[in-house]
Amino acid sequence: MRNINKSNYPKAHRLVRLISLLVIISTLTGCLYWLRAFQTYQQLDEFDKHFGIEVADEFLLSFKKPIMFSEDFISLSGLRSSEVDQEDKGKRWRYWFHKVDMNNKLIEPEIKFYFDLHFNEVDRLYSWGFSSLFLQIAPPQFLEVSLRSLAGAEINKDSKQLRANTDHIDKISADLPKKANVVKQLGTPLEIIDDKENEIYVYHFLLDSLGINKGYEDRALSVIKLTFDKSTDELIKMSGRFAGLKISISYRKYIENVAAHS
C-alpha cells in the first residue's frame, strides 16, 4: 500500500478550494470581472498585507494593491451609484440607501446610510467606506473580524456565495449592540417576527441609483433583518443585501467566551 504524506493535506485542501471557485467562475458570464473579484478574494488570505482599516466617523477599508475596476461593480451588481464625484486621486461613487415603507415610499423623518467606493486615477478600487449609521447594525470591531473571516471561506456552488470560516479568527471582547440603541437610530421596523428565543426586526431600504441594468431591478431594495435575543435585547445577527452585496454577520461567533478563559 502506498504511503500518503499527511503534510500535504493543507496544500491539497487549498488547491481543491481554488479549483472549486474557478469552476464557479467559469460557469458565469463576464469571466474577466469575476476573475478580478476572485483575485481580490485571494488577497484575504494575507489580510494585513493587502488591506488596511481606519475607523473614525465611518469605517474605511483600504486596498493596498487594487485590482477591481469601477465597471466590475456594475457588471457584478447591475446597479450604478447614487452620486459620482471627482477627487484628486480619481473619483468617488456614493450609494445612498433610504428607509422606505412596504410600498417603497420614503419614510419621514428621513433615515439613510451610504457606502462609498473610491477609485484611483487608473479606475481601480482603492478604498470602501461604510457610513456611521450602517455601523449601528455592523459595529466596526465586528465588521472587521467578519471581513477577516472571509479568508478560506467555504464556497457554495449553487448560490455562488462565500460562507465565512471563523475557526482561524481570534475572538474579540466587545459588547453586542442593544435593541433600544439600534431602534433609536433606525426607527420602527416594518415587521417584527417572533422566532422562539429571538425577535427578528425587518427594515426596508431603497437604493437611489443613477441607473439599473435590466433584470436587476429587485436588487435596488435592501431587506435588512436584525435578530435580537429576547432575554438580553442584544443584536446577535444582521443580514441584508446592499447594491447586490450580500452581508450576513452572526455576532456571537466572534465573541470571546470570557467564562471559558477565567
Side-chain angles (χ1 to χ4, degrees):
M1 181 179 295
R2 192 175 73 177
N3 291 329
I4 299 176
N5 186 353
K6 294 185 178 181
S7 64
N8 289 329
Y9 279 6
K11 293 181 180 179
H13 176 74
R14 179 177 174 80
L15 180 61
V16 169
R17 180 161 56 87
L18 294 180
I19 291 175
S20 297
L21 188 56
L22 285 171
V23 169
I24 292 174
I25 293 172
S26 67
T27 64
L28 303 172
T29 59
C31 289
L32 283 178
Y33 57 79
W34 275 104
L35 178 59
R36 287 190 286 268
F38 169 61
Q39 290 171 332
T40 301
Y41 160 77
Q42 283 184 300
Q43 290 182 330
L44 292 167
D45 283 342
E46 297 180 279
F47 191 92
D48 293 306
K49 178 180 178 180
H50 296 289
F51 302 94
I53 289 175
E54 298 177 30
V55 180
D57 291 335
E58 63 176 21
F59 181 101
L60 196 65
L61 174 69
S62 61
F63 298 73
K64 297 179 182 179
K65 298 181 180 179
I67 294 175
M68 298 188 70
F69 292 101
S70 61
E71 282 305 309
D72 293 337
F73 282 86
I74 303 300
S75 298
L76 290 166
S77 69
L79 304 171
R80 298 190 179 276
S81 62
S82 312
E83 302 171 1
V84 178
D85 295 314
Q86 296 301 313
E87 298 182 319
D88 293 339
K89 291 185 178 181
K91 62 185 176 184
R92 182 200 71 183
W93 285 4
R94 173 162 289 184
Y95 289 81
W96 278 112
F97 299 85
H98 301 264
K99 185 180 179 184
V100 294
D101 61 19
M102 293 298 293
N103 298 313
N104 291 344
K105 301 297 183 182
L106 293 180
I107 289 178
E108 297 292 343
E110 185 180 43
I111 297 176
K112 61 183 181 179
F113 63 88
Y114 64 81
F115 290 166
D116 277 347
L117 301 180
H118 297 266
F119 300 92
N120 62 22
E121 61 277 3
V122 294
D123 201 35
R124 291 186 186 269
L125 176 70
Y126 73 89
S127 74
W128 191 329
F130 300 78
S131 71
S132 57
L133 181 61
F134 183 77
L135 299 182
Q136 298 298 317
I137 59 175
Q141 286 177 286
F142 293 99
L143 189 54
E144 177 177 352
V145 75
S146 66
L147 288 169
R148 289 179 177 275
S149 70
L150 290 176
E154 296 179 12
I155 303 163
N156 187 314
K157 296 180 181 179
D158 295 325
S159 62
K160 300 180 180 65
Q161 296 177 21
L162 302 178
R163 175 173 294 178
N165 176 9
T166 61
D167 295 339
H168 67 292
I169 296 296
D170 291 334
K171 299 297 189 280
I172 60 176
S173 177
D175 294 328
L176 292 167
K178 290 289 189 177
K179 181 168 64 177
N181 293 332
V182 174
V183 173
K184 182 179 179 180
Q185 297 295 324
L186 295 188
T188 305
L190 284 183
E191 182 182 7
I192 300 176
I193 302 172
D194 187 276
D195 184 32
K196 297 180 180 179
E197 294 85 10
N198 304 317
E199 286 182 326
I200 302 174
Y201 279 40
V202 181
Y203 292 87
H204 285 188
F205 281 80
L206 189 66
L207 173 65
D208 178 13
S209 176
L210 293 174
I212 302 176
N213 292 352
K214 186 177 180 180
Y216 290 84
E217 292 82 4
D218 63 322
R219 291 192 177 186
L221 181 64
S222 298
V223 178
I224 303 174
K225 296 182 179 180
L226 307 177
T227 303
F228 295 95
D229 185 310
K230 288 182 181 179
S231 62
T232 64
D233 279 345
E234 292 175 332
L235 177 61
I236 59 174
K237 184 178 181 180
M238 181 274 288
S239 65
R241 186 173 68 183
F242 310 92
L245 174 68
K246 291 185 178 180
I247 299 178
S248 180
I249 306 176
S250 296
Y251 296 111
R252 280 179 174 167
K253 290 182 179 181
Y254 304 118
I255 290 291
E256 182 180 32
N257 189 340
V258 179
H261 296 86
S262 60

mmCIF file of all heavy atoms in Angstrom, residues 87-122:
data_model
loop_
_atom_site.group_PDB
_atom_site.id
_atom_site.type_symbol
_atom_site.label_atom_id
_atom_site.label_comp_id
_atom_site.label_asym_id
_atom_site.label_seq_id
_atom_site.Cartn_x
_atom_site.Cartn_y
_atom_site.Cartn_z
ATOM 1 N N GLU A 87 -12.379 63.347 -7.578
ATOM 2 C CA GLU A 87 -11.451 63.565 -6.481
ATOM 3 C C GLU A 87 -10.039 63.736 -7.041
ATOM 4 O O GLU A 87 -9.784 63.476 -8.220
ATOM 5 C CB GLU A 87 -11.480 62.393 -5.493
ATOM 6 C CG GLU A 87 -12.833 62.185 -4.837
ATOM 7 C CD GLU A 87 -12.822 61.056 -3.832
ATOM 8 O OE1 GLU A 87 -12.202 60.009 -4.121
ATOM 9 O OE2 GLU A 87 -13.417 61.212 -2.753
ATOM 10 N N ASP A 88 -9.123 64.169 -6.171
ATOM 11 C CA ASP A 88 -7.737 64.359 -6.601
ATOM 12 C C ASP A 88 -7.139 63.068 -7.146
ATOM 13 O O ASP A 88 -6.390 63.080 -8.122
ATOM 14 C CB ASP A 88 -6.883 64.871 -5.436
ATOM 15 C CG ASP A 88 -7.275 66.279 -5.019
ATOM 16 O OD1 ASP A 88 -7.885 66.980 -5.848
ATOM 17 O OD2 ASP A 88 -6.987 66.659 -3.868
ATOM 18 N N LYS A 89 -7.474 61.942 -6.505
ATOM 19 C CA LYS A 89 -6.905 60.654 -6.910
ATOM 20 C C LYS A 89 -7.755 59.908 -7.935
ATOM 21 O O LYS A 89 -7.381 58.842 -8.388
ATOM 22 C CB LYS A 89 -6.708 59.760 -5.683
ATOM 23 C CG LYS A 89 -5.612 60.226 -4.744
ATOM 24 C CD LYS A 89 -5.415 59.215 -3.624
ATOM 25 C CE LYS A 89 -4.291 59.630 -2.687
ATOM 26 N NZ LYS A 89 -4.086 58.625 -1.613
ATOM 27 N N GLY A 90 -8.904 60.440 -8.267
ATOM 28 C CA GLY A 90 -9.778 59.722 -9.202
ATOM 29 C C GLY A 90 -11.220 60.138 -9.029
ATOM 30 O O GLY A 90 -11.590 61.270 -9.304
ATOM 31 N N LYS A 91 -12.055 59.215 -8.510
ATOM 32 C CA LYS A 91 -13.472 59.514 -8.350
ATOM 33 C C LYS A 91 -14.050 58.740 -7.171
ATOM 34 O O LYS A 91 -13.476 57.747 -6.715
ATOM 35 C CB LYS A 91 -14.247 59.156 -9.623
ATOM 36 C CG LYS A 91 -14.195 57.676 -9.996
ATOM 37 C CD LYS A 91 -14.870 57.401 -11.334
ATOM 38 C CE LYS A 91 -14.731 55.932 -11.729
ATOM 39 N NZ LYS A 91 -15.299 55.656 -13.070
ATOM 40 N N ARG A 92 -15.185 59.249 -6.693
ATOM 41 C CA ARG A 92 -15.907 58.586 -5.602
ATOM 42 C C ARG A 92 -17.318 58.273 -6.057
ATOM 43 O O ARG A 92 -18.011 59.128 -6.596
ATOM 44 C CB ARG A 92 -15.973 59.486 -4.363
ATOM 45 C CG ARG A 92 -16.665 58.821 -3.167
ATOM 46 C CD ARG A 92 -17.153 59.845 -2.168
ATOM 47 N NE ARG A 92 -18.296 60.590 -2.692
ATOM 48 C CZ ARG A 92 -18.891 61.602 -2.048
ATOM 49 N NH1 ARG A 92 -18.428 62.009 -0.895
ATOM 50 N NH2 ARG A 92 -19.930 62.232 -2.592
ATOM 51 N N TRP A 93 -17.707 57.018 -5.841
ATOM 52 C CA TRP A 93 -19.094 56.623 -6.050
ATOM 53 C C TRP A 93 -19.753 56.484 -4.687
ATOM 54 O O TRP A 93 -19.259 55.770 -3.807
ATOM 55 C CB TRP A 93 -19.175 55.261 -6.767
ATOM 56 C CG TRP A 93 -18.865 55.310 -8.224
ATOM 57 C CD1 TRP A 93 -18.449 56.379 -8.953
ATOM 58 C CD2 TRP A 93 -18.969 54.204 -9.138
ATOM 59 N NE1 TRP A 93 -18.275 56.016 -10.256
ATOM 60 C CE2 TRP A 93 -18.585 54.698 -10.414
ATOM 61 C CE3 TRP A 93 -19.330 52.877 -9.009
ATOM 62 C CZ2 TRP A 93 -18.564 53.885 -11.541
ATOM 63 C CZ3 TRP A 93 -19.312 52.062 -10.136
ATOM 64 C CH2 TRP A 93 -18.932 52.567 -11.387
ATOM 65 N N ARG A 94 -20.883 57.157 -4.517
ATOM 66 C CA ARG A 94 -21.648 57.022 -3.265
ATOM 67 C C ARG A 94 -22.984 56.356 -3.556
ATOM 68 O O ARG A 94 -23.733 56.780 -4.435
ATOM 69 C CB ARG A 94 -21.855 58.378 -2.597
ATOM 70 C CG ARG A 94 -22.782 58.332 -1.385
ATOM 71 C CD ARG A 94 -22.630 59.552 -0.492
ATOM 72 N NE ARG A 94 -21.350 59.529 0.210
ATOM 73 C CZ ARG A 94 -20.993 60.443 1.120
ATOM 74 N NH1 ARG A 94 -21.810 61.450 1.422
ATOM 75 N NH2 ARG A 94 -19.808 60.344 1.713
ATOM 76 N N TYR A 95 -23.277 55.312 -2.782
ATOM 77 C CA TYR A 95 -24.540 54.590 -2.861
ATOM 78 C C TYR A 95 -25.393 54.982 -1.646
ATOM 79 O O TYR A 95 -25.049 54.648 -0.508
ATOM 80 C CB TYR A 95 -24.307 53.071 -2.858
ATOM 81 C CG TYR A 95 -23.692 52.516 -4.122
ATOM 82 C CD1 TYR A 95 -22.319 52.598 -4.350
ATOM 83 C CD2 TYR A 95 -24.475 51.885 -5.095
ATOM 84 C CE1 TYR A 95 -21.752 52.080 -5.504
ATOM 85 C CE2 TYR A 95 -23.918 51.359 -6.248
ATOM 86 C CZ TYR A 95 -22.555 51.457 -6.449
ATOM 87 O OH TYR A 95 -21.998 50.940 -7.595
ATOM 88 N N TRP A 96 -26.502 55.689 -1.882
ATOM 89 C CA TRP A 96 -27.405 56.089 -0.811
ATOM 90 C C TRP A 96 -28.551 55.085 -0.673
ATOM 91 O O TRP A 96 -29.191 54.716 -1.663
ATOM 92 C CB TRP A 96 -28.002 57.462 -1.087
ATOM 93 C CG TRP A 96 -27.133 58.631 -0.708
ATOM 94 C CD1 TRP A 96 -26.526 59.524 -1.546
ATOM 95 C CD2 TRP A 96 -26.825 59.056 0.619
ATOM 96 N NE1 TRP A 96 -25.830 60.459 -0.830
ATOM 97 C CE2 TRP A 96 -25.995 60.199 0.504
ATOM 98 C CE3 TRP A 96 -27.135 58.574 1.892
ATOM 99 C CZ2 TRP A 96 -25.496 60.879 1.618
ATOM 100 C CZ3 TRP A 96 -26.638 59.249 3.001
ATOM 101 C CH2 TRP A 96 -25.828 60.389 2.862
ATOM 102 N N PHE A 97 -28.819 54.666 0.561
ATOM 103 C CA PHE A 97 -29.928 53.766 0.874
ATOM 104 C C PHE A 97 -30.901 54.508 1.794
ATOM 105 O O PHE A 97 -30.520 54.951 2.884
ATOM 106 C CB PHE A 97 -29.418 52.510 1.570
ATOM 107 C CG PHE A 97 -28.448 51.702 0.743
ATOM 108 C CD1 PHE A 97 -27.088 52.016 0.739
ATOM 109 C CD2 PHE A 97 -28.878 50.641 -0.032
ATOM 110 C CE1 PHE A 97 -26.186 51.276 -0.015
ATOM 111 C CE2 PHE A 97 -27.986 49.897 -0.798
ATOM 112 C CZ PHE A 97 -26.641 50.214 -0.790
ATOM 113 N N HIS A 98 -32.172 54.631 1.355
ATOM 114 C CA HIS A 98 -33.185 55.381 2.090
ATOM 115 C C HIS A 98 -34.218 54.428 2.686
ATOM 116 O O HIS A 98 -34.700 53.524 1.995
ATOM 117 C CB HIS A 98 -33.894 56.372 1.163
ATOM 118 C CG HIS A 98 -32.980 57.362 0.510
ATOM 119 N ND1 HIS A 98 -32.775 58.631 1.006
ATOM 120 C CD2 HIS A 98 -32.205 57.262 -0.609
ATOM 121 C CE1 HIS A 98 -31.924 59.283 0.224
ATOM 122 N NE2 HIS A 98 -31.559 58.467 -0.764
ATOM 123 N N LYS A 99 -34.584 54.672 3.919
ATOM 124 C CA LYS A 99 -35.605 53.845 4.569
ATOM 125 C C LYS A 99 -36.955 54.087 3.904
ATOM 126 O O LYS A 99 -37.360 55.234 3.678
ATOM 127 C CB LYS A 99 -35.689 54.174 6.064
ATOM 128 C CG LYS A 99 -36.645 53.252 6.830
ATOM 129 C CD LYS A 99 -36.697 53.610 8.307
ATOM 130 C CE LYS A 99 -37.672 52.712 9.051
ATOM 131 N NZ LYS A 99 -37.811 53.099 10.481
ATOM 132 N N VAL A 100 -37.653 52.975 3.592
ATOM 133 C CA VAL A 100 -38.950 53.072 2.915
ATOM 134 C C VAL A 100 -39.970 52.168 3.599
ATOM 135 O O VAL A 100 -39.621 51.292 4.403
ATOM 136 C CB VAL A 100 -38.834 52.676 1.421
ATOM 137 C CG1 VAL A 100 -37.972 53.673 0.659
ATOM 138 C CG2 VAL A 100 -38.276 51.252 1.268
ATOM 139 N N ASP A 101 -41.248 52.386 3.238
ATOM 140 C CA ASP A 101 -42.317 51.551 3.772
ATOM 141 C C ASP A 101 -42.553 50.349 2.849
ATOM 142 O O ASP A 101 -41.773 50.108 1.916
ATOM 143 C CB ASP A 101 -43.608 52.356 3.961
ATOM 144 C CG ASP A 101 -44.144 52.944 2.659
ATOM 145 O OD1 ASP A 101 -43.757 52.460 1.559
ATOM 146 O OD2 ASP A 101 -44.950 53.889 2.724
ATOM 147 N N MET A 102 -43.631 49.611 3.092
ATOM 148 C CA MET A 102 -43.901 48.397 2.312
ATOM 149 C C MET A 102 -44.160 48.700 0.835
ATOM 150 O O MET A 102 -44.034 47.837 -0.020
ATOM 151 C CB MET A 102 -45.089 47.644 2.900
ATOM 152 C CG MET A 102 -44.813 47.048 4.288
ATOM 153 S SD MET A 102 -43.486 45.813 4.283
ATOM 154 C CE MET A 102 -44.247 44.502 3.330
ATOM 155 N N ASN A 103 -44.527 49.959 0.530
ATOM 156 C CA ASN A 103 -44.790 50.371 -0.847
ATOM 157 C C ASN A 103 -43.604 51.113 -1.456
ATOM 158 O O ASN A 103 -43.748 51.782 -2.489
ATOM 159 C CB ASN A 103 -46.044 51.249 -0.900
ATOM 160 C CG ASN A 103 -47.284 50.510 -0.435
ATOM 161 O OD1 ASN A 103 -47.531 49.381 -0.861
ATOM 162 N ND2 ASN A 103 -48.052 51.123 0.455
ATOM 163 N N ASN A 104 -42.451 50.996 -0.819
ATOM 164 C CA ASN A 104 -41.212 51.638 -1.275
ATOM 165 C C ASN A 104 -41.303 53.166 -1.289
ATOM 166 O O ASN A 104 -40.611 53.832 -2.066
ATOM 167 C CB ASN A 104 -40.798 51.139 -2.659
ATOM 168 C CG ASN A 104 -40.333 49.686 -2.630
ATOM 169 O OD1 ASN A 104 -40.048 49.141 -1.566
ATOM 170 N ND2 ASN A 104 -40.253 49.058 -3.786
ATOM 171 N N LYS A 105 -42.161 53.715 -0.424
ATOM 172 C CA LYS A 105 -42.269 55.160 -0.279
ATOM 173 C C LYS A 105 -41.346 55.617 0.856
ATOM 174 O O LYS A 105 -41.246 54.951 1.890
ATOM 175 C CB LYS A 105 -43.712 55.578 0.029
ATOM 176 C CG LYS A 105 -44.720 55.157 -1.051
ATOM 177 C CD LYS A 105 -44.418 55.832 -2.380
ATOM 178 C CE LYS A 105 -45.466 55.458 -3.426
ATOM 179 N NZ LYS A 105 -45.176 56.063 -4.749
ATOM 180 N N LEU A 106 -40.683 56.761 0.648
ATOM 181 C CA LEU A 106 -39.760 57.271 1.656
ATOM 182 C C LEU A 106 -40.480 57.542 2.965
ATOM 183 O O LEU A 106 -41.604 58.059 2.982
ATOM 184 C CB LEU A 106 -39.099 58.556 1.157
ATOM 185 C CG LEU A 106 -38.148 58.413 -0.036
ATOM 186 C CD1 LEU A 106 -37.584 59.779 -0.415
ATOM 187 C CD2 LEU A 106 -37.013 57.456 0.285
ATOM 188 N N ILE A 107 -39.821 57.207 4.055
ATOM 189 C CA ILE A 107 -40.376 57.415 5.390
ATOM 190 C C ILE A 107 -39.807 58.712 5.969
ATOM 191 O O ILE A 107 -38.612 58.981 5.867
ATOM 192 C CB ILE A 107 -40.057 56.222 6.303
ATOM 193 C CG1 ILE A 107 -40.874 55.003 5.862
ATOM 194 C CG2 ILE A 107 -40.326 56.553 7.769
ATOM 195 C CD1 ILE A 107 -40.602 53.748 6.681
ATOM 196 N N GLU A 108 -40.680 59.509 6.552
ATOM 197 C CA GLU A 108 -40.271 60.747 7.210
ATOM 198 C C GLU A 108 -40.376 60.593 8.716
ATOM 199 O O GLU A 108 -41.304 59.960 9.217
ATOM 200 C CB GLU A 108 -41.161 61.915 6.742
ATOM 201 C CG GLU A 108 -41.062 62.227 5.257
ATOM 202 C CD GLU A 108 -39.709 62.782 4.855
ATOM 203 O OE1 GLU A 108 -38.954 63.226 5.759
ATOM 204 O OE2 GLU A 108 -39.408 62.771 3.649
ATOM 205 N N PRO A 109 -39.424 61.163 9.497
ATOM 206 C CA PRO A 109 -38.228 61.867 9.029
ATOM 207 C C PRO A 109 -37.264 60.912 8.332
ATOM 208 O O PRO A 109 -37.242 59.705 8.613
ATOM 209 C CB PRO A 109 -37.628 62.443 10.309
ATOM 210 C CG PRO A 109 -38.106 61.531 11.384
ATOM 211 C CD PRO A 109 -39.484 61.091 10.975
ATOM 212 N N GLU A 110 -36.490 61.460 7.413
ATOM 213 C CA GLU A 110 -35.620 60.652 6.565
ATOM 214 C C GLU A 110 -34.540 59.931 7.365
ATOM 215 O O GLU A 110 -33.902 60.508 8.244
ATOM 216 C CB GLU A 110 -34.956 61.542 5.516
ATOM 217 C CG GLU A 110 -34.116 60.787 4.507
ATOM 218 C CD GLU A 110 -33.482 61.710 3.486
ATOM 219 O OE1 GLU A 110 -32.976 62.767 3.892
ATOM 220 O OE2 GLU A 110 -33.508 61.372 2.288
ATOM 221 N N ILE A 111 -34.361 58.650 7.061
ATOM 222 C CA ILE A 111 -33.284 57.846 7.648
ATOM 223 C C ILE A 111 -32.543 57.186 6.488
ATOM 224 O O ILE A 111 -33.164 56.526 5.648
ATOM 225 C CB ILE A 111 -33.834 56.777 8.611
ATOM 226 C CG1 ILE A 111 -34.544 57.446 9.802
ATOM 227 C CG2 ILE A 111 -32.708 55.865 9.110
ATOM 228 C CD1 ILE A 111 -35.212 56.472 10.750
ATOM 229 N N LYS A 112 -31.240 57.385 6.423
ATOM 230 C CA LYS A 112 -30.476 56.860 5.292
ATOM 231 C C LYS A 112 -29.033 56.584 5.709
ATOM 232 O O LYS A 112 -28.541 57.121 6.701
ATOM 233 C CB LYS A 112 -30.496 57.842 4.122
ATOM 234 C CG LYS A 112 -29.887 59.202 4.439
ATOM 235 C CD LYS A 112 -30.027 60.145 3.243
ATOM 236 C CE LYS A 112 -29.406 61.507 3.550
ATOM 237 N NZ LYS A 112 -29.510 62.444 2.396
ATOM 238 N N PHE A 113 -28.384 55.717 4.930
ATOM 239 C CA PHE A 113 -26.963 55.467 5.118
ATOM 240 C C PHE A 113 -26.330 55.296 3.744
ATOM 241 O O PHE A 113 -27.025 55.253 2.723
ATOM 242 C CB PHE A 113 -26.714 54.227 5.998
ATOM 243 C CG PHE A 113 -27.209 52.929 5.426
ATOM 244 C CD1 PHE A 113 -26.419 52.160 4.578
ATOM 245 C CD2 PHE A 113 -28.480 52.459 5.736
ATOM 246 C CE1 PHE A 113 -26.877 50.961 4.050
ATOM 247 C CE2 PHE A 113 -28.951 51.263 5.207
ATOM 248 C CZ PHE A 113 -28.139 50.506 4.361
ATOM 249 N N TYR A 114 -24.989 55.234 3.711
ATOM 250 C CA TYR A 114 -24.321 55.138 2.419
ATOM 251 C C TYR A 114 -23.108 54.222 2.467
ATOM 252 O O TYR A 114 -22.565 53.934 3.535
ATOM 253 C CB TYR A 114 -23.877 56.528 1.922
ATOM 254 C CG TYR A 114 -22.830 57.200 2.791
ATOM 255 C CD1 TYR A 114 -21.482 56.873 2.676
ATOM 256 C CD2 TYR A 114 -23.191 58.177 3.722
ATOM 257 C CE1 TYR A 114 -20.518 57.487 3.477
ATOM 258 C CE2 TYR A 114 -22.248 58.795 4.518
ATOM 259 C CZ TYR A 114 -20.910 58.449 4.398
ATOM 260 O OH TYR A 114 -19.977 59.053 5.205
ATOM 261 N N PHE A 115 -22.712 53.762 1.278
ATOM 262 C CA PHE A 115 -21.414 53.139 1.035
ATOM 263 C C PHE A 115 -20.666 54.048 0.065
ATOM 264 O O PHE A 115 -21.262 54.595 -0.870
ATOM 265 C CB PHE A 115 -21.554 51.763 0.365
ATOM 266 C CG PHE A 115 -22.119 50.679 1.234
ATOM 267 C CD1 PHE A 115 -22.562 49.495 0.667
ATOM 268 C CD2 PHE A 115 -22.230 50.824 2.595
ATOM 269 C CE1 PHE A 115 -23.089 48.473 1.447
ATOM 270 C CE2 PHE A 115 -22.761 49.826 3.400
ATOM 271 C CZ PHE A 115 -23.191 48.649 2.821
ATOM 272 N N ASP A 116 -19.378 54.207 0.266
ATOM 273 C CA ASP A 116 -18.537 54.966 -0.657
ATOM 274 C C ASP A 116 -17.503 54.047 -1.285
ATOM 275 O O ASP A 116 -16.826 53.287 -0.573
ATOM 276 C CB ASP A 116 -17.793 56.093 0.067
ATOM 277 C CG ASP A 116 -18.643 57.339 0.222
ATOM 278 O OD1 ASP A 116 -19.701 57.429 -0.433
ATOM 279 O OD2 ASP A 116 -18.244 58.228 0.998
ATOM 280 N N LEU A 117 -17.373 54.111 -2.607
ATOM 281 C CA LEU A 117 -16.315 53.416 -3.321
ATOM 282 C C LEU A 117 -15.399 54.466 -3.939
ATOM 283 O O LEU A 117 -15.861 55.339 -4.682
ATOM 284 C CB LEU A 117 -16.879 52.511 -4.421
ATOM 285 C CG LEU A 117 -17.853 51.413 -3.991
ATOM 286 C CD1 LEU A 117 -18.299 50.612 -5.215
ATOM 287 C CD2 LEU A 117 -17.230 50.491 -2.964
ATOM 288 N N HIS A 118 -14.106 54.392 -3.622
ATOM 289 C CA HIS A 118 -13.136 55.348 -4.147
ATOM 290 C C HIS A 118 -12.245 54.651 -5.167
ATOM 291 O O HIS A 118 -11.645 53.603 -4.866
ATOM 292 C CB HIS A 118 -12.268 55.913 -3.013
ATOM 293 C CG HIS A 118 -13.041 56.686 -1.992
ATOM 294 N ND1 HIS A 118 -13.202 58.049 -2.043
ATOM 295 C CD2 HIS A 118 -13.713 56.276 -0.882
ATOM 296 C CE1 HIS A 118 -13.934 58.464 -1.017
ATOM 297 N NE2 HIS A 118 -14.255 57.398 -0.294
ATOM 298 N N PHE A 119 -12.166 55.228 -6.368
ATOM 299 C CA PHE A 119 -11.353 54.665 -7.446
ATOM 300 C C PHE A 119 -10.204 55.617 -7.763
ATOM 301 O O PHE A 119 -10.388 56.841 -7.770
ATOM 302 C CB PHE A 119 -12.206 54.436 -8.691
ATOM 303 C CG PHE A 119 -13.351 53.482 -8.471
ATOM 304 C CD1 PHE A 119 -14.604 53.947 -8.097
ATOM 305 C CD2 PHE A 119 -13.171 52.113 -8.611
ATOM 306 C CE1 PHE A 119 -15.660 53.079 -7.879
ATOM 307 C CE2 PHE A 119 -14.215 51.228 -8.402
ATOM 308 C CZ PHE A 119 -15.458 51.705 -8.032
ATOM 309 N N ASN A 120 -9.029 55.049 -8.023
ATOM 310 C CA ASN A 120 -7.856 55.877 -8.279
ATOM 311 C C ASN A 120 -7.815 56.381 -9.727
ATOM 312 O O ASN A 120 -8.767 56.190 -10.491
ATOM 313 C CB ASN A 120 -6.572 55.126 -7.905
ATOM 314 C CG ASN A 120 -6.366 53.849 -8.719
ATOM 315 O OD1 ASN A 120 -6.914 53.699 -9.819
ATOM 316 N ND2 ASN A 120 -5.581 52.926 -8.185
ATOM 317 N N GLU A 121 -6.689 56.999 -10.096
ATOM 318 C CA GLU A 121 -6.571 57.622 -11.417
ATOM 319 C C GLU A 121 -6.608 56.616 -12.575
ATOM 320 O O GLU A 121 -6.855 56.991 -13.718
ATOM 321 C CB GLU A 121 -5.285 58.452 -11.501
ATOM 322 C CG GLU A 121 -3.999 57.673 -11.303
ATOM 323 C CD GLU A 121 -3.651 57.468 -9.840
ATOM 324 O OE1 GLU A 121 -4.459 57.884 -8.969
ATOM 325 O OE2 GLU A 121 -2.589 56.902 -9.556
ATOM 326 N N VAL A 122 -6.373 55.332 -12.273
ATOM 327 C CA VAL A 122 -6.473 54.302 -13.324
ATOM 328 C C VAL A 122 -7.736 53.459 -13.138
ATOM 329 O O VAL A 122 -7.846 52.358 -13.673
ATOM 330 C CB VAL A 122 -5.210 53.406 -13.363
ATOM 331 C CG1 VAL A 122 -4.009 54.217 -13.796
ATOM 332 C CG2 VAL A 122 -4.963 52.730 -12.027
#
